[in-house]
Amino acid sequence: MAHKFEIYKDNAGEFRVRFKYNSEVMFSTQGYSSKSSAQNAIDSIKKNGPEAPVEDNS
């Protein structure tokens, strides 16, 4: 698969989510104190992301 979400622990011990496409990190989230909170972030992105508007600030 060319794209995926990854949950990982950062150097501060917090759980973070990153989205990768062809091994390139497209974005990462803030740190979460629990793994379940990181999973909730993924679920929210999957649920709400397709409907999110694009804001062009260029």
Side-chain angles (χ1 to χ4, degrees):
M1 183 172 282
H3 53 280
K4 63 182 175 181
F5 287 98
E6 292 180 344
I7 297 175
Y8 67 100
K9 224 174 196 184
D10 66 14
N11 292 337
E14 294 185 314
F15 294 93
R16 292 181 179 265
V17 175
R18 62 182 158 217
F19 182 77
K20 291 176 109 177
Y21 182 75
N22 288 335
S23 301
E24 182 179 343
V25 176
M26 304 303 288
F27 69 83
S28 60
T29 66
Q30 65 186 40
Y32 297 98
S33 59
S34 70
K35 193 173 187 177
S36 63
S37 292
Q39 182 61 56
N40 287 342
I42 293 171
D43 296 341
S44 177
I45 293 165
K46 286 181 173 182
K47 179 182 175 187
N48 300 306
E51 302 299 319
V54 175
E55 185 174 315
D56 185 350
N57 293 318
S58 54

